[in-house]
């Protein structure tokens, strides 16, 4: 059972445009939602994360929007640059007492065209 | 964040043999995790390795196939035993610094089994 569903699988955006990636989860015990960026041949790098007590978090050109009632969260990449071309994974984990195990979405391959 | 190294970075192995992957972190961490990422796919948790206790394996992964050691707070190993071509994947370790929610990933070990 896939507990975190991510869409789209791939995305092409022009330089300067906005990339939007969506994730939906089922497990109401999840309370930590990170996004990772992975370049080919590299390990995933933590990009930004959010807890369910806030609806939005912004770090530079990256923004997470969180909708607790809908059990959905999304990543917006503003002013997308060719260097943002990578695979992005959303993830979710329950609180520490449950072991902090991350469940990953399927990934979105983003290509930013110059 | 934490600086994580993995050895080897890649290897080509014959079926039936075993490979031990090392994960070293530059600071003491309580929780370490091992993931598998099959080509073009998302990350799947293999096991959680906490120092001083037996590793906890996820459904579908067993100790006889993926024995894990965690001798101290900065080091862990994952062995892929009796390998078959289906074990060809990227194996990643991650760490969670004490008192934090974030997980940081190593660069991965790309394993090809022929």
């Amino acid at each position: 059972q896939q507990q975190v569903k991510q869409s789209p699988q791939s995305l092409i955006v022009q330089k300067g445009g906005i990339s939007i990636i969506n994730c939906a989860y089922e497990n109401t015990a999840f309370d930590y939602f990170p996004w990772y960026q992975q370049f080919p041949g590299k390990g995933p790098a933590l990009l930004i994360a959010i807890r369910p007590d806030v609806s939005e978090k912004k770090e530079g050109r990256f923004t997470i929007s969180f909708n607790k009632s809908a059990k959905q969260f999304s990543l917006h990449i503003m002013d997308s640059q060719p260097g943002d071309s990578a695979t992005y994974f959303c993830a979710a984990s329950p609180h520490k007492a449950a072991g902090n195990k991350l469940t990953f979405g399927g990934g979105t391959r983003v290509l930013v065209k110059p | 964040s934490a600086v994580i190294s993995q050895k080897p970075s890649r290897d080509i192995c014959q079926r039936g043999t075993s490979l031990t992957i090392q994960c070293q972190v530059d600071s003491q961490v309580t929780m370490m995790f091992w993931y598998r990422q099959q080509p073009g796919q998302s990350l799947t948790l293999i096991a959680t390795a906490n120092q001083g206790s037996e590793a906890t394996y996820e459904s579908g992964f067993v100790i006889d196939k993926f024995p894990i050691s965690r001798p101290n707070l900065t080091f862990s190993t994952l062995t892929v035993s009796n390998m078959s071509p289906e074990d060809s994947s990227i194996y990643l370790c991650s760490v969670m610094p004490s008192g934090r929610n974030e997980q940081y990933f190593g660069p991965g070990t790309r394993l090809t089994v022929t």
Side-chain angles (χ1 to χ4, degrees):
Chain A
Q1 179 187 9
Q2 184 184 4
Q3 295 190 38
V4 180
K5 295 183 179 180
Q6 184 172 345
S7 63
Q9 290 185 333
S10 63
L11 179 61
I12 299 175
V13 62
Q14 292 294 127
K15 178 182 175 181
I18 302 174
S19 303
I20 301 174
I21 306 169
N22 300 299
C23 285
Y25 63 97
E26 299 166 4
N27 188 346
T28 55
F30 289 152
D31 73 348
Y32 173 70
F33 303 89
W35 286 88
Y36 285 85
Q37 179 189 56
Q38 186 177 32
F39 294 105
K42 305 291 185 183
L46 180 63
L47 196 58
I48 187 173
I50 198 167
R51 302 297 294 266
D53 52 348
V54 298
S55 60
E56 185 174 283
K57 183 175 181 179
K58 182 176 181 180
E59 289 186 4
R61 295 185 293 108
F62 300 92
T63 300
I64 300 179
S65 298
F66 187 84
N67 185 332
K68 186 175 181 178
S69 61
K71 293 187 286 185
Q72 296 175 347
F73 58 110
S74 61
L75 177 70
H76 294 224
I77 307 174
M78 313 300 286
D79 186 26
S80 297
Q81 300 296 312
D84 297 331
S85 297
T87 301
Y88 293 82
F89 293 95
C90 63
S93 74
H95 57 83
K96 282 192 173 183
N100 289 110
K101 295 186 290 186
L102 284 173
T103 299
F104 282 84
T108 298
R109 184 170 294 183
V110 174
L111 176 64
V112 181
K113 289 193 168 182
Chain B
S1 64
V3 178
I4 305 159
S5 60
Q6 286 186 233
K7 291 182 181 180
S9 59
R10 59 177 62 227
D11 207 342
I12 301 174
C13 301
Q14 297 214 342
R15 71 169 65 215
T17 63
S18 298
L19 177 72
T20 295
I21 302 167
Q22 299 179 7
C23 179
Q24 179 79 51
V25 62
D26 68 341
S27 57
Q28 294 185 342
V29 295
T30 302
M31 302 185 77
M32 295 181 78
F33 304 87
W34 286 98
Y35 290 83
R36 182 173 73 184
Q37 185 177 28
Q38 295 180 309
Q41 302 296 314
S42 186
L43 290 83
T44 301
L45 180 64
I46 297 171
T48 302
N50 293 331
Q51 195 266 341
S53 63
E54 293 287 329
T56 303
Y57 290 83
E58 298 301 302
S59 176
F61 298 96
V62 295
I63 187 171
D64 290 347
K65 176 67 175 177
F66 298 101
I68 289 171
S69 77
R70 182 77 199 275
N72 57 52
L73 291 175
T74 63
F75 187 79
S76 178
T77 67
L78 170 75
T79 299
V80 187
S81 303
N82 188 24
M83 289 183 284
S84 67
E86 292 71 34
D87 294 320
S88 297
S89 282
I90 299 171
Y91 291 86
L92 296 143
C93 71
S94 74
V95 304
M96 180 180 294
S98 301
R100 307 277 297 275
N101 280 315
E102 299 86 5
Q103 280 191 37
Y104 299 98
F105 283 83
T109 295
R110 183 178 295 268
L111 171 63
T112 302
V113 184
T114 61

